[in-house]
Amino acid sequence: MITGNLQMTWCLPFWTPPISTTSRYGSHGAFYRYKNSMGKSLPLFYIYDSYLTSPEAWAHLLTPNGPHSIRNTPYDGVFIALLVEEGHTHDILAAGFDGMYTYFASNGFSFGSSHQNWKAVKNFCDANNLMFIPSVGPGYIDTSIRPWNNHNTRNRVNGKYYETALQAALTVRPEIVSITSFNEWHEGTQIEKAIPKKTPTRLYLDYLPHQPSLYLELTRRWAEHFIKEKEQWLM
């Protein structure tokens, strides 16, 4: 979902390969396309855990002279790799990706998700004609599914954590900011409407004393701010 220039991560039941996605949905008017630096409107794909495949294997597909290159074919796109460790920046470049994103909503969890590193990553991307897409989230708590992971919990602080992350993202002047997430309740990163709810096995987080739409309202406000900021950057 695109809100201004903020892109939301949705919790989906399965992952669909980019080629299958383009073949099935590419002609639909709602299929998102991004206009690249060459003026071509191409599908944009976020590749989660991209580092599990070697840069050499990716290069076969994503570099113009790769033996199985999809560049300048009907299956071409804007391919964004996941940045976790600092060394992944060079791997992503060698692999032929168009950019990198940070995904994780827990500030400090990884090199990529640490706000303090975003300026250096953006400088690397600018120097190598890559997109940098910082990922922001409203907070993080996944102890209902990973009881051992309490040290990565990040309190929402009534929206302040989210706004701090958004401000950190805008500081590096990105083209796109991604949001983790719209509805990943199991990791406590959802921004969709929430009301108090409890089951025999789970207590769902809500936004009290604020309205159920608190994070949607914050997202709308920051999307509008982002658009105005980008207009200033271009002046």
Side-chain angles (χ1 to χ4, degrees):
M1 177 178 180
I2 312 301
T3 307
N5 289 284
L6 302 180
Q7 301 191 356
M8 300 184 195
T9 301
W10 293 70
C11 183
L12 300 175
F14 57 88
W15 179 81
T16 305
I19 290 178
S20 299
T21 302
T22 302
S23 297
R24 186 169 183 178
Y25 303 111
S27 61
H28 196 285
F31 190 69
Y32 180 71
R33 293 177 180 271
Y34 176 82
K35 184 175 288 188
N36 66 11
S37 58
M38 303 298 291
K40 296 176 64 177
S41 293
L42 297 172
L44 188 149
F45 299 101
Y46 292 90
I47 313 297
Y48 186 75
D49 276 358
S50 51
Y51 58 87
L52 296 179
T53 299
S54 71
E56 294 78 15
W58 281 119
H60 288 177
L61 292 172
L62 300 180
T63 57
N65 296 320
H68 306 292
S69 179
I70 59 175
R71 297 305 189 183
N72 298 311
T73 75
Y75 302 109
D76 200 357
V78 178
F79 296 93
I80 308 298
L82 175 59
L83 172 66
V84 178
E85 301 174 3
E86 183 174 7
H88 290 163
T89 55
H90 295 280
D91 292 341
I92 290 167
L93 177 63
F97 282 100
D98 300 289
M100 57 192 76
Y101 78 118
T102 60
Y103 181 71
F104 299 106
S106 183
N107 181 24
F109 169 70
S110 68
F111 172 84
S113 71
S114 299
H115 302 168
Q116 66 182 13
N117 297 326
W118 286 355
K119 182 61 177 176
V121 176
K122 180 62 159 56
N123 289 340
F124 176 87
C125 289
D126 287 348
N128 291 283
N129 196 31
L130 296 172
M131 293 178 65
F132 174 53
I133 303 179
S135 303
V136 303
Y140 190 86
I141 179 168
D142 66 353
T143 50
S144 65
I145 57 172
R146 303 182 186 99
W148 63 88
N149 201 33
N150 187 62
H151 61 285
N152 282 313
T153 294
R154 301 293 182 266
N155 194 293
R156 292 179 176 238
V157 201
N158 292 314
K160 290 183 173 58
Y161 182 88
Y162 191 36
E163 295 197 89
T164 297
L166 284 160
Q167 184 59 65
L170 266 61
T171 297
V172 302
R173 299 188 173 190
E175 179 66 25
I176 294 172
V177 176
S178 72
I179 300 172
T180 307
S181 65
F182 181 72
N183 64 343
E184 293 185 19
W185 287 82
H186 59 290
E187 293 184 342
T189 61
Q190 81 286 344
I191 64 170
E192 66 175 330
K193 288 184 178 182
I195 58 174
K197 181 178 176 62
K198 184 178 182 180
T199 71
T201 58
R202 185 180 180 93
L203 174 65
Y204 287 87
L205 298 178
D206 57 63
Y207 312 144
L208 293 176
H210 301 282
Q211 294 296 314
S213 60
L214 169 65
Y215 289 92
L216 296 181
E217 292 298 326
L218 288 174
T219 302
R220 177 191 56 77
R221 187 188 312 162
W222 277 90
E224 292 172 351
H225 179 56
F226 188 18
I227 291 170
K228 291 178 181 177
E229 286 284 300
K230 290 182 71 175
E231 291 173 351
Q232 293 297 316
W233 302 341
L234 297 173
M235 290 181 63

PDB file of all heavy atoms in Angstrom, residues 39-58:
ATOM      1  N   GLY A  39      13.537   6.674 -16.643  1.00  0.00           N
ATOM      2  CA  GLY A  39      12.191   7.050 -17.051  1.00  0.00           C
ATOM      3  C   GLY A  39      11.277   5.882 -17.335  1.00  0.00           C
ATOM      4  O   GLY A  39      10.153   6.083 -17.801  1.00  0.00           O
ATOM      5  N   LYS A  40      11.716   4.654 -17.040  1.00  0.00           N
ATOM      6  CA  LYS A  40      10.892   3.469 -17.269  1.00  0.00           C
ATOM      7  C   LYS A  40      10.080   3.155 -16.022  1.00  0.00           C
ATOM      8  O   LYS A  40      10.610   3.169 -14.908  1.00  0.00           O
ATOM      9  CB  LYS A  40      11.777   2.271 -17.628  1.00  0.00           C
ATOM     10  CG  LYS A  40      12.551   2.431 -18.925  1.00  0.00           C
ATOM     11  CD  LYS A  40      13.470   1.259 -19.171  1.00  0.00           C
ATOM     12  CE  LYS A  40      12.718  -0.040 -19.364  1.00  0.00           C
ATOM     13  NZ  LYS A  40      13.639  -1.166 -19.687  1.00  0.00           N
ATOM     14  N   SER A  41       8.810   2.855 -16.180  1.00  0.00           N
ATOM     15  CA  SER A  41       7.946   2.465 -15.064  1.00  0.00           C
ATOM     16  C   SER A  41       7.986   0.947 -14.917  1.00  0.00           C
ATOM     17  O   SER A  41       7.481   0.227 -15.777  1.00  0.00           O
ATOM     18  CB  SER A  41       6.516   2.947 -15.298  1.00  0.00           C
ATOM     19  OG  SER A  41       6.453   4.360 -15.251  1.00  0.00           O
ATOM     20  N   LEU A  42       8.576   0.492 -13.830  1.00  0.00           N
ATOM     21  CA  LEU A  42       8.799  -0.935 -13.625  1.00  0.00           C
ATOM     22  C   LEU A  42       8.215  -1.390 -12.282  1.00  0.00           C
ATOM     23  O   LEU A  42       8.142  -0.606 -11.333  1.00  0.00           O
ATOM     24  CB  LEU A  42      10.302  -1.237 -13.635  1.00  0.00           C
ATOM     25  CG  LEU A  42      11.048  -0.947 -14.940  1.00  0.00           C
ATOM     26  CD1 LEU A  42      12.550  -1.103 -14.726  1.00  0.00           C
ATOM     27  CD2 LEU A  42      10.571  -1.883 -16.042  1.00  0.00           C
ATOM     28  N   PRO A  43       7.819  -2.646 -12.184  1.00  0.00           N
ATOM     29  CA  PRO A  43       7.380  -3.176 -10.894  1.00  0.00           C
ATOM     30  C   PRO A  43       8.504  -3.075  -9.867  1.00  0.00           C
ATOM     31  O   PRO A  43       9.685  -3.226 -10.205  1.00  0.00           O
ATOM     32  CB  PRO A  43       7.056  -4.638 -11.195  1.00  0.00           C
ATOM     33  CG  PRO A  43       6.873  -4.708 -12.668  1.00  0.00           C
ATOM     34  CD  PRO A  43       7.762  -3.669 -13.255  1.00  0.00           C
ATOM     35  N   LEU A  44       8.146  -2.805  -8.625  1.00  0.00           N
ATOM     36  CA  LEU A  44       9.135  -2.717  -7.558  1.00  0.00           C
ATOM     37  C   LEU A  44       8.945  -3.893  -6.610  1.00  0.00           C
ATOM     38  O   LEU A  44       7.842  -4.132  -6.124  1.00  0.00           O
ATOM     39  CB  LEU A  44       8.999  -1.383  -6.810  1.00  0.00           C
ATOM     40  CG  LEU A  44      10.084  -1.052  -5.784  1.00  0.00           C
ATOM     41  CD1 LEU A  44      10.286   0.456  -5.692  1.00  0.00           C
ATOM     42  CD2 LEU A  44       9.752  -1.609  -4.403  1.00  0.00           C
ATOM     43  N   PHE A  45      10.040  -4.635  -6.371  1.00  0.00           N
ATOM     44  CA  PHE A  45       9.990  -5.827  -5.533  1.00  0.00           C
ATOM     45  C   PHE A  45      10.964  -5.712  -4.360  1.00  0.00           C
ATOM     46  O   PHE A  45      12.136  -5.375  -4.557  1.00  0.00           O
ATOM     47  CB  PHE A  45      10.354  -7.075  -6.346  1.00  0.00           C
ATOM     48  CG  PHE A  45       9.436  -7.360  -7.488  1.00  0.00           C
ATOM     49  CD1 PHE A  45       9.796  -7.030  -8.791  1.00  0.00           C
ATOM     50  CD2 PHE A  45       8.207  -7.965  -7.275  1.00  0.00           C
ATOM     51  CE1 PHE A  45       8.949  -7.297  -9.858  1.00  0.00           C
ATOM     52  CE2 PHE A  45       7.356  -8.235  -8.335  1.00  0.00           C
ATOM     53  CZ  PHE A  45       7.724  -7.897  -9.633  1.00  0.00           C
ATOM     54  N   TYR A  46      10.473  -6.002  -3.170  1.00  0.00           N
ATOM     55  CA  TYR A  46      11.331  -6.127  -2.001  1.00  0.00           C
ATOM     56  C   TYR A  46      11.674  -7.607  -1.838  1.00  0.00           C
ATOM     57  O   TYR A  46      10.769  -8.446  -1.744  1.00  0.00           O
ATOM     58  CB  TYR A  46      10.617  -5.635  -0.748  1.00  0.00           C
ATOM     59  CG  TYR A  46      10.356  -4.151  -0.715  1.00  0.00           C
ATOM     60  CD1 TYR A  46       9.174  -3.615  -1.228  1.00  0.00           C
ATOM     61  CD2 TYR A  46      11.283  -3.268  -0.157  1.00  0.00           C
ATOM     62  CE1 TYR A  46       8.926  -2.249  -1.197  1.00  0.00           C
ATOM     63  CE2 TYR A  46      11.046  -1.899  -0.116  1.00  0.00           C
ATOM     64  CZ  TYR A  46       9.856  -1.399  -0.630  1.00  0.00           C
ATOM     65  OH  TYR A  46       9.617  -0.048  -0.601  1.00  0.00           O
ATOM     66  N   ILE A  47      12.957  -7.938  -1.788  1.00  0.00           N
ATOM     67  CA  ILE A  47      13.397  -9.328  -1.682  1.00  0.00           C
ATOM     68  C   ILE A  47      13.876  -9.588  -0.258  1.00  0.00           C
ATOM     69  O   ILE A  47      14.981  -9.207   0.136  1.00  0.00           O
ATOM     70  CB  ILE A  47      14.520  -9.658  -2.684  1.00  0.00           C
ATOM     71  CG1 ILE A  47      14.171  -9.148  -4.079  1.00  0.00           C
ATOM     72  CG2 ILE A  47      14.799 -11.162  -2.687  1.00  0.00           C
ATOM     73  CD1 ILE A  47      12.944  -9.775  -4.690  1.00  0.00           C
ATOM     74  N   TYR A  48      13.021 -10.232   0.546  1.00  0.00           N
ATOM     75  CA  TYR A  48      13.368 -10.525   1.937  1.00  0.00           C
ATOM     76  C   TYR A  48      14.394 -11.659   1.993  1.00  0.00           C
ATOM     77  O   TYR A  48      14.356 -12.595   1.193  1.00  0.00           O
ATOM     78  CB  TYR A  48      12.111 -10.916   2.723  1.00  0.00           C
ATOM     79  CG  TYR A  48      12.355 -11.098   4.199  1.00  0.00           C
ATOM     80  CD1 TYR A  48      12.523  -9.988   5.024  1.00  0.00           C
ATOM     81  CD2 TYR A  48      12.436 -12.369   4.747  1.00  0.00           C
ATOM     82  CE1 TYR A  48      12.761 -10.151   6.382  1.00  0.00           C
ATOM     83  CE2 TYR A  48      12.679 -12.538   6.097  1.00  0.00           C
ATOM     84  CZ  TYR A  48      12.843 -11.425   6.919  1.00  0.00           C
ATOM     85  OH  TYR A  48      13.088 -11.590   8.255  1.00  0.00           O
ATOM     86  N   ASP A  49      15.343 -11.546   2.933  1.00  0.00           N
ATOM     87  CA  ASP A  49      16.408 -12.539   3.114  1.00  0.00           C
ATOM     88  C   ASP A  49      17.193 -12.765   1.820  1.00  0.00           C
ATOM     89  O   ASP A  49      17.644 -13.892   1.539  1.00  0.00           O
ATOM     90  CB  ASP A  49      15.835 -13.878   3.618  1.00  0.00           C
ATOM     91  CG  ASP A  49      15.649 -13.881   5.135  1.00  0.00           C
ATOM     92  OD1 ASP A  49      16.000 -12.872   5.788  1.00  0.00           O
ATOM     93  OD2 ASP A  49      15.145 -14.889   5.670  1.00  0.00           O
ATOM     94  N   SER A  50      17.370 -11.720   1.058  1.00  0.00           N
ATOM     95  CA  SER A  50      18.107 -11.825  -0.213  1.00  0.00           C
ATOM     96  C   SER A  50      19.538 -12.299   0.001  1.00  0.00           C
ATOM     97  O   SER A  50      20.138 -12.925  -0.891  1.00  0.00           O
ATOM     98  CB  SER A  50      18.112 -10.474  -0.921  1.00  0.00           C
ATOM     99  OG  SER A  50      18.545  -9.442  -0.037  1.00  0.00           O
ATOM    100  N   TYR A  51      20.121 -12.041   1.172  1.00  0.00           N
ATOM    101  CA  TYR A  51      21.508 -12.414   1.462  1.00  0.00           C
ATOM    102  C   TYR A  51      21.711 -13.930   1.548  1.00  0.00           C
ATOM    103  O   TYR A  51      22.857 -14.397   1.537  1.00  0.00           O
ATOM    104  CB  TYR A  51      21.968 -11.756   2.766  1.00  0.00           C
ATOM    105  CG  TYR A  51      21.128 -12.111   3.972  1.00  0.00           C
ATOM    106  CD1 TYR A  51      21.410 -13.240   4.726  1.00  0.00           C
ATOM    107  CD2 TYR A  51      20.047 -11.315   4.343  1.00  0.00           C
ATOM    108  CE1 TYR A  51      20.640 -13.582   5.820  1.00  0.00           C
ATOM    109  CE2 TYR A  51      19.267 -11.647   5.441  1.00  0.00           C
ATOM    110  CZ  TYR A  51      19.563 -12.770   6.176  1.00  0.00           C
ATOM    111  OH  TYR A  51      18.780 -13.111   7.261  1.00  0.00           O
ATOM    112  N   LEU A  52      20.622 -14.691   1.635  1.00  0.00           N
ATOM    113  CA  LEU A  52      20.752 -16.149   1.694  1.00  0.00           C
ATOM    114  C   LEU A  52      21.159 -16.740   0.346  1.00  0.00           C
ATOM    115  O   LEU A  52      21.577 -17.896   0.273  1.00  0.00           O
ATOM    116  CB  LEU A  52      19.445 -16.787   2.170  1.00  0.00           C
ATOM    117  CG  LEU A  52      19.013 -16.434   3.598  1.00  0.00           C
ATOM    118  CD1 LEU A  52      17.682 -17.105   3.930  1.00  0.00           C
ATOM    119  CD2 LEU A  52      20.082 -16.840   4.610  1.00  0.00           C
ATOM    120  N   THR A  53      21.016 -15.958  -0.706  1.00  0.00           N
ATOM    121  CA  THR A  53      21.474 -16.353  -2.045  1.00  0.00           C
ATOM    122  C   THR A  53      22.724 -15.553  -2.360  1.00  0.00           C
ATOM    123  O   THR A  53      22.796 -14.356  -2.073  1.00  0.00           O
ATOM    124  CB  THR A  53      20.382 -16.086  -3.092  1.00  0.00           C
ATOM    125  OG1 THR A  53      19.224 -16.849  -2.769  1.00  0.00           O
ATOM    126  CG2 THR A  53      20.851 -16.442  -4.491  1.00  0.00           C
ATOM    127  N   SER A  54      23.715 -16.171  -2.937  1.00  0.00           N
ATOM    128  CA  SER A  54      25.005 -15.510  -3.163  1.00  0.00           C
ATOM    129  C   SER A  54      24.878 -14.359  -4.164  1.00  0.00           C
ATOM    130  O   SER A  54      24.024 -14.394  -5.058  1.00  0.00           O
ATOM    131  CB  SER A  54      26.031 -16.519  -3.686  1.00  0.00           C
ATOM    132  OG  SER A  54      25.723 -16.891  -5.025  1.00  0.00           O
ATOM    133  N   PRO A  55      25.736 -13.342  -4.034  1.00  0.00           N
ATOM    134  CA  PRO A  55      25.735 -12.252  -5.007  1.00  0.00           C
ATOM    135  C   PRO A  55      25.961 -12.752  -6.436  1.00  0.00           C
ATOM    136  O   PRO A  55      25.390 -12.215  -7.388  1.00  0.00           O
ATOM    137  CB  PRO A  55      26.895 -11.358  -4.549  1.00  0.00           C
ATOM    138  CG  PRO A  55      27.058 -11.658  -3.097  1.00  0.00           C
ATOM    139  CD  PRO A  55      26.702 -13.104  -2.941  1.00  0.00           C
ATOM    140  N   GLU A  56      26.781 -13.799  -6.577  1.00  0.00           N
ATOM    141  CA  GLU A  56      27.065 -14.334  -7.906  1.00  0.00           C
ATOM    142  C   GLU A  56      25.805 -14.909  -8.552  1.00  0.00           C
ATOM    143  O   GLU A  56      25.565 -14.730  -9.758  1.00  0.00           O
ATOM    144  CB  GLU A  56      28.145 -15.416  -7.817  1.00  0.00           C
ATOM    145  CG  GLU A  56      29.515 -14.915  -7.390  1.00  0.00           C
ATOM    146  CD  GLU A  56      29.629 -14.655  -5.897  1.00  0.00           C
ATOM    147  OE1 GLU A  56      28.739 -15.126  -5.142  1.00  0.00           O
ATOM    148  OE2 GLU A  56      30.595 -13.975  -5.495  1.00  0.00           O
ATOM    149  N   ALA A  57      24.995 -15.596  -7.757  1.00  0.00           N
ATOM    150  CA  ALA A  57      23.757 -16.171  -8.285  1.00  0.00           C
ATOM    151  C   ALA A  57      22.769 -15.071  -8.667  1.00  0.00           C
ATOM    152  O   ALA A  57      22.124 -15.144  -9.717  1.00  0.00           O
ATOM    153  CB  ALA A  57      23.137 -17.126  -7.259  1.00  0.00           C
ATOM    154  N   TRP A  58      22.658 -14.060  -7.812  1.00  0.00           N
ATOM    155  CA  TRP A  58      21.770 -12.943  -8.153  1.00  0.00           C
ATOM    156  C   TRP A  58      22.237 -12.238  -9.416  1.00  0.00           C
ATOM    157  O   TRP A  58      21.422 -11.814 -10.246  1.00  0.00           O
ATOM    158  CB  TRP A  58      21.722 -11.945  -6.999  1.00  0.00           C
ATOM    159  CG  TRP A  58      20.839 -12.318  -5.850  1.00  0.00           C
ATOM    160  CD1 TRP A  58      21.211 -12.522  -4.554  1.00  0.00           C
ATOM    161  CD2 TRP A  58      19.421 -12.528  -5.885  1.00  0.00           C
ATOM    162  NE1 TRP A  58      20.123 -12.844  -3.780  1.00  0.00           N
ATOM    163  CE2 TRP A  58      19.010 -12.854  -4.577  1.00  0.00           C
ATOM    164  CE3 TRP A  58      18.458 -12.473  -6.895  1.00  0.00           C
ATOM    165  CZ2 TRP A  58      17.675 -13.116  -4.239  1.00  0.00           C
ATOM    166  CZ3 TRP A  58      17.129 -12.747  -6.568  1.00  0.00           C
ATOM    167  CH2 TRP A  58      16.751 -13.056  -5.259  1.00  0.00           C
TER     168      TRP A  58
END
